[in-house]
Amino acid sequence: MTWKCTPAPCRYGTLEHHRYKMWTMQTSCGCLLLLLCTGALAVEVQRPRGVPLTKLQFYEEGKPFTCLDGSLTIPYDRINDDYCDCQDGSDEPGTAACPNGSFHCTNAGFRPAFIPSSRINDGICDCCDTTDEYNSGAACQNTCRELGRKERESLQKMAEIAKEGFMLKKQLIQEAKQGLEEKKAKVADIQSSKKELEAKVEALRTVKETAEQPEKEAKERHLKAWEDQKAAIRMEKDKAKMAEMFLELDDDADGFVTVAELLSHSELDTDSDGIFTELEAREVLGGVDKVDTVAFESVWGNIKEKFVSESNRDIPAAVETPQEEPKDTASDDSEQYPDDDIPEDEDDEDEDDEDMDEGDYKPPPAKTQEKSVEDDEGTMPPYDQETQSLIDAAQKARDEFDAAERSLREVDDQIRNLEKEISFDFGPNAEFSYLYSQCYELTTSEYIYRLCPFNKVAQKPKYGGSETNLGTWGSWAGPEDNIYSVMKYEHGTGCWQGPNRSTTVKLTCGKETVVTSTSEPSRCEYLMEFISPAVCQEPPSLDPGLQMHEEL
């Protein structure tokens, strides 16, 4: 039971089809087969119904047929006799006799296909050329030519986009090559200027250190003079207080302080037993019964820390009134704010403290202290003109050194960033380098998605709210034969009781550079579709003499 194929426009197997079969391009649909025909050739091949041309060799007319699984050999006339002889169903490619059989739709003008043999003559048209319903009476129409036309138009349009995209890619490659040379030249220039700047920094360091030495010495002299002056002031105050206390102790104003006069000051009790005896008073006076103003100087050094003036004794001690203990509000606060309801502002302050750089640290304001004795001595006088000049010269040297050192750090940053960009994997010909330092957005009904290639992916609520990191640049993650077709971004913000967010970016060929879609196929794992001309591949040249065998 055989049948013949009739000629049709754009038949599979024509020379024109074979030519365009070889035009394979990487586009948004993956590996794209452009089916275009410019003419038609009449081809006639005899074969059993439902057999593809690739298996025709197993169905030689007039010869015994061996099941494709090798299990049985039967006469040729038992092929398509509506009885299943082979376990693999290969003897009934054109009937529904075998439950595991398959029927080949030639679909001339479109693309061939296989359908389960159970669909043969079931009243439903599965093959666009209607060959599966040859005996069902179904009113099928051959739609292959129309389907082929639409597909060819679609593929033609996609091929044109891919061709234009590849032309843009060639420009990107040329610009990347030029940019790479410019960056290398810039690194060389900066490296050269860096040496000069390093020499300048070292020279200014010497100037600074030279200027700081006399500044330091002048400041130390000034400070020593101020310390000497304060010591003299303290000595004068001490002498004045000593003279005042001598007069207070000399009750009879005879110019001597006696043991008897000293006994009135029990705070001078040497053994602190609460009883100030004459023997102890004499010991305080240095073992004598009385001292004059000159001898009192040595006595004063021993008693001035304990001595209490009688005038101070007359001041009644402040009556301490018991104060009500402050109410412990810790328990109230804990009840008012459970652990789960602590105001967020407090957490934010803690985070701000953690993020603060060391250079930004500001010490807390000093607590107000009681007026010290040294306050009576006044403040340190301003520097004299000579010292101030040395300070100004040293400060100028420091400023110039700091500015040069800062410029050197900036130069190091420039070199480091340029070398990083130069060594970055931007594709076989650096065609993806134009994406560096760029960002592309896609707005949905709820979020604004932001893709910054080679940096990170982020998501932000459309109507306000904080940004969420969906992953930072990880690596190229496409298959081995097309590794630059997928980007992987990892270690984003952690999900609640889940993993850190990550994003896979699939790149497809196009004339524009744009994010076309985003989704979340799995929890915390995002998928983006990204169009770029850098993905487009060059179509191979066509060989007019190409000869191939194809299915009819």
Side-chain angles (χ1 to χ4, degrees):
M1 302 176 68
T2 61
W3 59 305
K4 296 182 180 181
C5 298
T6 57
C10 195
R11 301 279 307 221
Y12 279 79
T14 64
L15 178 59
E16 289 79 4
H17 168 66
H18 296 324
R19 291 175 182 171
Y20 289 99
K21 172 74 174 178
M22 298 301 295
W23 191 350
T24 304
M25 294 170 288
Q26 297 296 327
T27 68
S28 58
C29 296
C31 189
L32 179 63
L33 176 66
L34 184 60
L35 305 176
L36 298 173
C37 294
T38 57
L41 296 177
V43 179
E44 186 172 327
V45 179
Q46 292 185 345
R47 49 181 163 160
R49 189 190 304 277
V51 174
L53 199 61
T54 55
K55 295 182 180 180
L56 180 60
Q57 57 183 325
F58 302 110
Y59 296 84
E60 294 188 40
E61 186 174 3
K63 294 183 178 181
F65 172 74
T66 299
C67 302
L68 298 184
D69 61 1
S71 60
L72 182 67
T73 300
I74 60 176
Y76 184 82
D77 58 6
R78 287 168 64 177
I79 296 174
N80 284 337
D81 64 350
D82 208 23
Y83 181 83
C84 191
D85 297 292
C86 299
Q87 294 180 1
D88 62 358
S90 57
D91 65 312
E92 297 297 319
T95 73
C98 297
N100 58 342
S102 62
F103 179 83
H104 180 261
C105 305
T106 302
N107 291 343
F110 189 44
R111 67 165 73 105
F114 285 92
I115 63 171
S117 59
S118 59
R119 297 182 183 179
I120 299 173
N121 292 321
D122 62 352
I124 299 175
C125 302
D126 297 292
C127 302
C128 66
D129 62 0
T130 74
T131 53
D132 60 313
E133 298 301 318
Y134 61 86
N135 198 30
S136 69
C140 298
Q141 294 184 351
N142 190 326
T143 58
C144 291
R145 194 174 296 181
E146 180 63 17
L147 291 174
R149 182 188 65 79
K150 290 181 179 179
E151 182 175 70
R152 286 189 293 276
E153 289 178 357
S154 175
L155 297 180
Q156 176 68 48
K157 184 177 180 180
M158 295 177 71
E160 291 174 356
I161 292 175
K163 185 177 180 180
E164 292 182 40
F166 181 73
M167 295 301 294
L168 292 174
K169 178 180 180 178
K170 292 172 66 175
Q171 296 179 19
L172 293 175
I173 292 174
Q174 185 63 31
E175 292 172 1
K177 183 178 180 181
Q178 181 179 350
L180 180 61
E181 296 301 321
E182 291 175 354
K183 290 181 178 67
K184 288 181 178 179
K186 188 174 181 180
V187 169
D189 292 341
I190 296 176
Q191 289 281 17
S192 177
S193 64
K194 178 185 175 181
K195 294 180 180 179
E196 298 177 1
L197 191 54
E198 286 175 336
K200 180 180 179 181
V201 168
E202 291 306 314
L204 290 175
R205 188 194 305 276
T206 302
V207 172
K208 178 179 76 75
E209 292 173 352
T210 302
E212 285 178 335
Q213 185 59 35
E215 175 200 37
K216 178 183 178 182
E217 295 172 355
K219 281 185 172 181
E220 288 176 350
R221 287 194 300 271
H222 183 86
L223 181 59
K224 186 178 183 304
W226 169 234
E227 292 295 337
D228 293 344
Q229 182 180 345
K230 289 195 295 181
I233 294 173
R234 286 193 295 269
M235 183 178 295
E236 290 299 323
K237 289 181 178 180
D238 190 66
K239 286 182 178 181
K241 185 176 181 181
M242 180 184 68
E244 181 183 347
M245 294 303 103
F246 183 87
L247 293 176
E248 182 178 332
L249 288 171
D250 186 10
D251 292 334
D252 56 6
D254 63 350
F256 293 94
V257 173
T258 65
V259 170
E261 290 172 334
L262 198 63
L263 287 174
S264 62
H265 287 268
S266 59
E267 72 273 9
L268 302 178
D269 180 15
T270 57
D271 57 7
S272 302
D273 61 355
I275 302 174
F276 191 33
T277 65
E278 288 184 8
L279 182 60
E280 290 175 330
R282 186 176 289 107
E283 183 181 347
V284 171
L285 292 179
V288 297
D289 291 334
K290 61 181 180 180
V291 294
D292 58 11
T293 55
V294 176
F296 186 71
E297 289 185 14
S298 61
V299 175
W300 171 246
N302 296 328
I303 70 172
K304 63 181 179 181
E305 299 298 332
K306 294 182 178 181
F307 186 84
V308 178
S309 174
E310 292 180 2
S311 60
N312 290 338
R313 295 180 186 181
D314 296 337
I315 301 175
V319 180
E320 295 185 2
T321 57
Q323 297 181 355
E324 184 178 352
E325 294 185 1
K327 185 177 180 181
D328 184 6
T329 58
S331 59
D332 294 341
D333 291 342
S334 63
E335 293 176 1
Q336 184 176 358
Y337 297 106
D339 292 342
D340 296 338
D341 298 325
I342 296 177
E344 294 181 359
D345 293 342
E346 294 178 323
D347 294 336
D348 294 340
E349 290 177 4
D350 293 339
E351 292 176 2
D352 293 341
D353 291 342
E354 293 176 0
D355 295 338
M356 184 181 296
D357 296 333
E358 292 182 2
D360 297 333
Y361 173 74
K362 296 181 180 180
K367 296 182 179 179
T368 304
Q369 299 179 351
E370 295 181 3
K371 184 177 182 181
S372 65
V373 177
E374 291 187 357
D375 288 347
D376 295 336
E377 298 161 2
T379 58
M380 185 173 69
Y383 295 113
D384 58 73
Q385 185 175 356
E386 182 181 356
T387 302
Q388 188 62 51
S389 297
L390 293 173
I391 293 173
D392 293 342
Q395 187 58 48
K396 180 181 178 183
R398 279 190 291 270
D399 292 342
E400 291 177 350
F401 171 77
D402 290 342
E405 198 174 43
R406 186 164 51 252
S407 298
L408 182 58
R409 287 196 299 269
E410 292 173 355
V411 165
D412 284 334
D413 289 341
Q414 282 184 305
I415 294 174
R416 184 165 50 254
N417 292 334
L418 284 170
E419 289 179 342
K420 177 183 176 183
E421 189 172 350
I422 289 172
S423 63
F424 208 93
D425 184 3
F426 289 122
N429 298 294
E431 57 267 34
F432 294 96
S433 61
Y434 81 102
L435 299 175
Y436 197 72
S437 301
Q438 301 296 319
C439 291
Y440 304 89
E441 291 186 351
L442 174 67
T443 302
T444 65
S445 58
E446 296 184 67
Y447 297 102
I448 299 174
Y449 292 89
R450 185 176 177 85
L451 168 63
C452 300
F454 311 113
N455 187 1
K456 70 174 185 177
V457 181
Q459 167 191 276
K460 188 175 183 179
K462 186 175 180 180
Y463 300 104
S466 59
E467 185 178 87
T468 301
N469 184 355
L470 302 185
T472 54
W473 168 251
S475 62
W476 294 104
E480 289 187 9
D481 60 340
N482 193 19
I483 190 173
Y484 298 102
S485 62
V486 178
M487 289 176 164
K488 189 67 177 179
Y489 295 80
E490 303 169 311
H491 309 300
T493 304
C495 286
W496 173 252
Q497 295 183 341
N500 288 345
R501 291 173 172 83
S502 62
T503 301
T504 298
V505 179
K506 290 187 177 181
L507 292 85
T508 52
C509 171
K511 297 184 294 183
E512 301 178 299
T513 303
V514 61
V515 179
T516 57
S517 68
T518 182
S519 60
E520 189 178 1
S522 301
R523 183 170 179 260
C524 306
E525 295 180 1
Y526 298 82
L527 175 64
M528 274 189 173
E529 300 285 344
F530 186 55
I531 291 179
S532 168
V535 191
C536 300
Q537 300 297 321
E538 180 180 14
S541 59
L542 302 180
D543 182 4
L546 182 66
Q547 297 292 332
M548 294 180 60
H549 293 287
E550 183 57 69
E551 304 206 22
L552 293 178

